[in-house]
Every structure is written in C-alpha cells, then in structure tokens.
Amino acid sequence: MMANRFKGEIDALCEGRRYTLRMDMLALADFEDATGENALAWAEAAEGGQASVGDMIEMIRCTLARHHPEADRQLAGDLLSEDPGLLLRLFRAASPEIAQDDRDDGPGKPVPVPAAG
C-alpha cells in the first residue's frame, strides 16, 4: 500500500521575480509554531474561506522558507496581494486528490446523458 504524500511546489511571480513555494510537513509545522493553530485544521477552514488574512500571510511565509529563507511577512503579503488564489493553488499542489476531485470530469461529477432522439 502506498502512502499519500503531502508535498507540493508552485511558482509565483511578484514584481518581476519568480518565487517557489513549497507546502510540506515542515511548512505546516512552522505555521503551527508561529500561530499556535493546528495547520491541517486551519488549511481545511481556509479552503472554505474561513481564514484571517494574517494567518494566510503567515502560511505563505512558511511555504517560502525552504527556497527563500530570507522571506518575510512583507514578501508573503505582496505575493498574496499579487495572486489571491495562491493558497488554493498550494493546497491543490500538496494534495493531488483535492485537485482531481475539483476537475469537471473528476469522480463523483454528474455525467450528461445524451438526449434520446
């Protein structure tokens, strides 16, 4: 049996520079250390639109840390302002099963039945 992996990387542009964000267990642990919140529960709430802007910026900062250890809240805020869908893209990259379920042709989606003619 293969374990589900939780690691995703995406690129984002801000002021002409490309940044790589990586959502993995280390980023989640860093987020928990910084905020005192359970990162997985927070991510689930954030996907439903229930996240404070400050926590969203902190999560972006934590996902920048692996490739950009100098990243601060200012950069994280700028990236999020540039691309408000950044967290959702990170969640989808980290959990391919979520991305598959959200596709129009994914499992569980209704399939149109051709009209009888």
Side-chain angles (χ1 to χ4, degrees):
M1 177 182 243
M2 182 187 259
N4 290 336
R5 54 178 219 128
F6 188 88
K7 178 176 73 173
E9 285 191 358
I10 63 169
D11 289 330
L13 291 173
C14 184
E15 298 180 5
R17 184 164 177 214
R18 181 174 305 279
Y19 296 91
T20 301
L21 294 84
R22 181 177 183 154
M23 182 171 281
D24 60 7
M25 290 300 174
L26 184 58
L28 296 179
D30 288 347
F31 176 82
E32 288 182 355
D33 289 345
T35 65
E37 296 186 50
N38 177 296
L40 294 176
W42 180 87
E44 188 174 318
E47 283 183 291
Q50 302 298 313
S52 72
V53 173
D55 284 351
M56 291 167 52
I57 290 170
E58 186 60 31
M59 181 59 83
I60 297 297
R61 189 194 64 75
C62 291
T63 63
L64 284 164
R66 181 177 203 94
H67 295 290
H68 310 280
E70 75 288 355
D72 59 10
R73 286 179 57 82
Q74 181 68 48
L75 174 59
D78 288 349
L79 280 163
L80 194 56
S81 293
E82 188 82 21
D83 181 357
L86 193 56
L87 272 175
L88 185 56
R89 289 195 307 123
L90 269 167
F91 293 148
R92 287 180 176 163
S95 300
E97 297 80 24
I98 293 172
Q100 175 64 29
D101 288 346
D102 285 346
R103 290 181 35 202
D104 288 342
D105 61 346
K109 299 289 182 182
V111 177
V113 176

